[in-house]
Amino acid sequence: MNSIGIHYIWDVHHISSSLISVVDPVKTLLDSIIASTQLTIEGENFKQFSPVGVTGLYLLSESHISIHTWPEHGYAAIDLFSCIPVDPSSIQNVITDILGDDVIISEQVIQRGMALTMDKGVL
Amino acid sequence: MNSIGIHYIWDVHHISSSLISVVDPVKTLLDSIIASTQLTIEGENFKQFSPVGVTGLYLLSESHISIHTWPEHGYAAIDLFSCIPVDPSSIQNVITDILGDDVIISEQVIQRGMALTMDKGVL
């Protein structure tokens, strides 16, 4: 079965809090991820939470990327939903290049919009 | 183990294409979902794709909600990432109220940012 989009979910732990506390370095991280792909940014929205923590959203031609950071937990949640292929290992390399080799990245990949071949009653 | 956020993933199939082709009804759908919760909108970004199809992103005080629509497939991908509890069955009811009882909703729930109690080498 074919999917319509691929959704990459990265849970990144053990991040130095100073790297994810405010918007600028978090935006740089997303920019670097996007620059490593063929994806195109169409719109953006970033918010600084108080006292620390950031949400960043890029609307892409190919869907979206999001990040939410909890510096107090050394944790960032990154999601990339794309309707074109990307290389997740390259993106993990970008993440470790910027956040350091000590971070722990947990990756999940979800095929979104799988073609439905079953009757409604079977689901 | 405690999670930092809860990520609800809804893949919605068998949608009448006219309901998800342009921004206005898609925005109404997201607005209705948010109105059924205690979540707060902080920022928004919507894009009309040509000839049809929409991406919508709301940055929330509690994280984000996104929607991507493919009217040609009768399909919409809806994600809600929240750091406070929501009632997913109420949200499914909002979706069927607006998109019709014939849609098929597939739900996944992912606990994001689970506390790491293992050594790095174990992961």
Side-chain angles (χ1 to χ4, degrees):
Chain A
M1 294 198 295
N2 293 321
S3 64
I4 291 172
I6 304 178
H7 187 163
Y8 296 94
I9 293 176
W10 295 288
D11 286 302
V12 188
H13 289 270
H14 290 199
I15 307 170
S16 170
S17 62
S18 64
L19 299 177
I20 53 173
S21 291
V22 296
V23 168
D24 276 359
V26 172
K27 190 171 191 297
T28 297
L29 172 61
L30 283 201
D31 288 341
S32 301
I33 290 172
I34 297 301
S36 75
T37 69
Q38 300 301 311
L39 302 168
T40 303
I41 296 169
E42 298 268 1
E44 68 176 70
N45 224 320
F46 284 82
K47 180 175 172 63
Q48 177 69 54
F49 288 90
S50 178
V52 291
V54 174
T55 283
L57 303 174
Y58 276 139
L59 192 155
L60 305 174
S61 302
E62 302 81 8
S63 289
H64 80 270
I65 188 169
S66 67
I67 187 168
H68 305 289
T69 75
W70 282 267
E72 66 274 30
H73 296 296
Y75 168 70
I78 305 173
D79 286 66
L80 173 60
F81 190 132
S82 176
C83 58
I84 66 169
V86 299
D87 176 1
S89 62
S90 295
I91 292 175
Q92 287 209 22
N93 288 340
V94 172
I95 293 171
T96 54
D97 282 348
I98 292 178
L99 298 181
D101 288 334
D102 290 338
V103 301
I104 299 174
I105 305 174
S106 165
E107 178 179 278
Q108 298 180 66
V109 183
I110 301 178
Q111 305 293 327
R112 302 293 299 269
M114 299 293 282
L116 289 180
T117 56
M118 294 174 283
D119 289 339
K120 181 176 180 180
V122 178
L123 291 180
Chain B
M1 294 197 294
N2 293 322
S3 63
I4 292 173
I6 304 178
H7 187 162
Y8 297 93
I9 293 176
W10 295 289
D11 286 300
V12 189
H13 289 270
H14 289 200
I15 307 170
S16 171
S17 62
S18 64
L19 299 177
I20 52 172
S21 291
V22 297
V23 167
D24 276 358
V26 173
K27 190 171 190 297
T28 297
L29 173 60
L30 283 201
D31 288 341
S32 300
I33 291 173
I34 297 301
S36 76
T37 70
Q38 299 300 311
L39 302 169
T40 303
I41 297 169
E42 297 269 1
E44 68 175 71
N45 224 320
F46 284 81
K47 179 174 173 63
Q48 177 69 53
F49 288 90
S50 178
V52 290
V54 174
T55 283
L57 303 174
Y58 276 138
L59 192 155
L60 305 174
S61 302
E62 302 80 8
S63 289
H64 80 269
I65 188 168
S66 66
I67 187 167
H68 305 288
T69 75
W70 282 266
E72 66 274 30
H73 296 295
Y75 169 70
I78 305 173
D79 287 65
L80 173 61
F81 191 133
S82 176
C83 58
I84 66 169
V86 300
D87 176 1
S89 62
S90 294
I91 292 175
Q92 286 208 24
N93 287 340
V94 172
I95 293 171
T96 53
D97 281 349
I98 292 178
L99 298 181
D101 288 334
D102 290 336
V103 301
I104 298 174
I105 304 175
S106 165
E107 178 179 279
Q108 298 179 66
V109 183
I110 301 178
Q111 305 293 327
R112 300 293 299 268
M114 299 293 282
L116 289 179
T117 56
M118 296 173 282
D119 290 337
K120 181 176 180 179
V122 178
L123 290 179

